[in-house]
Amino acid sequence: MTEPIKGTRGDEVWFSFTLEPGLEEDLVWSATVLPLLEGLPANDIDIWQYCVTEMVNNVIDHSDGSRLALVVRRRPLNTLVQVLDDGIGIFRKIKAAFNLEDETQAILELAKGKLTTDPDRHSGQGIFFASRMLDEFTILSRGAYFSHKAARRDDLILDIDDLDSSTMVTMALENNTDRSLKDVFDQYSSGDNYDFSKTVVPLRLARFGEEKLISRSQAKRALARVERFTAVVFDFAGIETIGQAFADEIFRVWARAHEDVKCLVIDASPAVRKMIAAVGPAANVNY
């Protein structure tokens, strides 16, 4: 591996690599972030190793770019790491690979997990788990923005007028977190083999702009690929109302056709709960 270019800017330390054969994520981790985490508890370092190596591996294998950069900011209370590349853009690549309507739908599919453009070499779990191990996880890529924060139940997506930006993943974690890799894996797995059996569908990502969740087509977009899991959490954070057709498609038609999948509804408003009850949800739907 070629030695990185290294520099400082205020309290930041940055590293820049050429994306070339022989560049490996574990070597990037050891040469950049790890030395700057000296003194942190083992569970912090374990989380950072998982998240940094997963994001760097995504760049190496998927970005089609020429440069990789990392920025590390060690603060008294928390640490921030950014991983950047100059490639095609993660949401654009997913959109093209799966023939999706736009980057918003690509973000929704990425948020569910088990999505990869290279299934022979990747499981599609890295971003899902990394976003839930950290206090803050964001992706800015070619004008689209995704954010997941531990302190905020709902995911956030925005359209940003910055179409020429490279992909930038920003991660932050408290320096003495009580979270661990095992905690997060246990939360979304069953049995002893960490089979990634449970996912969360943030339904606010199923909307385009400020539209309401009304139609069966919107429901089918939200339901894409979730039959791969044994438990699905439908997260209604940020959704005040839904239409009868949307509710019927998910909680009667789909749920009854997939009785082996446990469905859990969270953060549903009284109006949403009333509409779900009106369509006669399947027995495998719980609150």
Side-chain angles (χ1 to χ4, degrees), residues 40-115:
L40 289 185
N43 61 308
D44 275 70
I45 293 175
D46 288 345
I47 290 173
W48 275 122
Q49 181 176 7
Y50 177 89
C51 295
V52 171
T53 55
E54 285 286 342
M55 296 309 105
V56 170
N57 181 255
N58 282 344
V59 173
I60 293 171
D61 286 353
H62 298 303
S63 71
D64 299 327
S66 61
R67 300 294 301 178
L68 161 71
L70 290 92
V71 178
V72 184
R73 186 183 303 152
R74 174 83 178 265
R75 299 160 169 166
L77 297 180
N78 71 353
T79 298
L80 180 144
V81 177
Q82 292 178 311
V83 178
L84 307 92
D85 70 77
D86 62 353
I88 187 174
I90 184 172
F91 304 135
R92 285 186 180 181
K93 184 157 189 176
I94 291 171
K95 173 180 175 290
F98 294 94
N99 196 28
L100 303 177
E101 294 183 38
D102 67 1
E103 281 79 3
T104 301
Q105 192 174 354
I107 296 172
L108 173 60
E109 292 308 306
L110 199 62
K112 295 175 188 175
K114 288 190 178 180
L115 182 79

Side-chain angles (χ1 to χ4, degrees), residues 206-242:
R207 305 179 301 179
F208 293 129
E210 297 300 318
E211 69 180 10
K212 304 295 184 182
L213 293 177
I214 300 295
S215 68
R216 292 187 188 275
S217 61
Q218 290 171 312
K220 290 174 182 178
R221 185 161 62 237
L223 290 167
R225 301 184 310 105
V226 298
E227 72 281 354
R228 300 182 183 187
F229 300 88
T230 60
V232 180
V233 179
F234 294 99
D235 187 349
F236 281 93
I239 304 294
E240 291 301 319
T241 62
I242 57 175

Side-chain angles (χ1 to χ4, degrees), residues 95-266:
K95 173 180 175 290
F98 294 94
N99 196 28
L100 303 177
E101 294 183 38
D102 67 1
E103 281 79 3
T104 301
Q105 192 174 354
I107 296 172
L108 173 60
E109 292 308 306
L110 199 62
K112 295 175 188 175
K114 288 190 178 180
L115 182 79
T116 176
T117 58
D118 188 1
D120 290 336
R121 294 192 295 168
H122 292 268
S123 64
Q125 300 182 17
I127 287 176
F128 181 93
F129 281 109
S131 67
R132 282 151 177 82
M133 290 175 184
L134 299 158
D135 296 326
E136 182 174 356
F137 179 92
T138 68
I139 304 175
L140 172 62
S141 181
R142 302 292 182 186
Y145 175 82
F146 168 74
S147 171
H148 181 91
K149 294 184 179 180
R152 188 190 65 218
R153 287 296 303 276
D154 55 311
D155 293 336
L156 175 67
I157 57 172
L158 297 171
D159 289 321
I160 296 176
D161 188 17
D162 187 15
L163 297 181
D164 293 325
S165 66
S166 60
T167 297
M168 177 173 69
V169 177
T170 300
M171 303 175 283
L173 182 68
E174 181 183 333
N175 285 339
N176 290 281
T177 185
D178 57 4
R179 203 173 299 129
S180 70
L181 292 179
K182 183 178 184 300
D183 293 337
V184 179
F185 286 135
D186 284 348
Q187 186 178 356
Y188 295 98
S189 305
S190 63
D192 299 323
N193 58 355
Y194 293 132
D195 59 354
F196 190 15
S197 58
K198 178 181 177 182
T199 190
V200 179
V201 180
L203 287 168
R204 88 184 265 170
L205 302 190
R207 305 179 301 179
F208 293 129
E210 297 300 318
E211 69 180 10
K212 304 295 184 182
L213 293 177
I214 300 295
S215 68
R216 292 187 188 275
S217 61
Q218 290 171 312
K220 290 174 182 178
R221 185 161 62 237
L223 290 167
R225 301 184 310 105
V226 298
E227 72 281 354
R228 300 182 183 187
F229 300 88
T230 60
V232 180
V233 179
F234 294 99
D235 187 349
F236 281 93
I239 304 294
E240 291 301 319
T241 62
I242 57 175
Q244 186 275 341
F246 182 87
D248 187 66
E249 186 66 31
I250 293 178
F251 298 106
R252 188 183 66 84
V253 177
W254 186 89
R256 291 181 182 181
H258 298 84
E259 293 183 348
D260 56 328
V261 180
K262 296 179 182 178
C263 303
L264 180 66
V265 175
I266 62 171

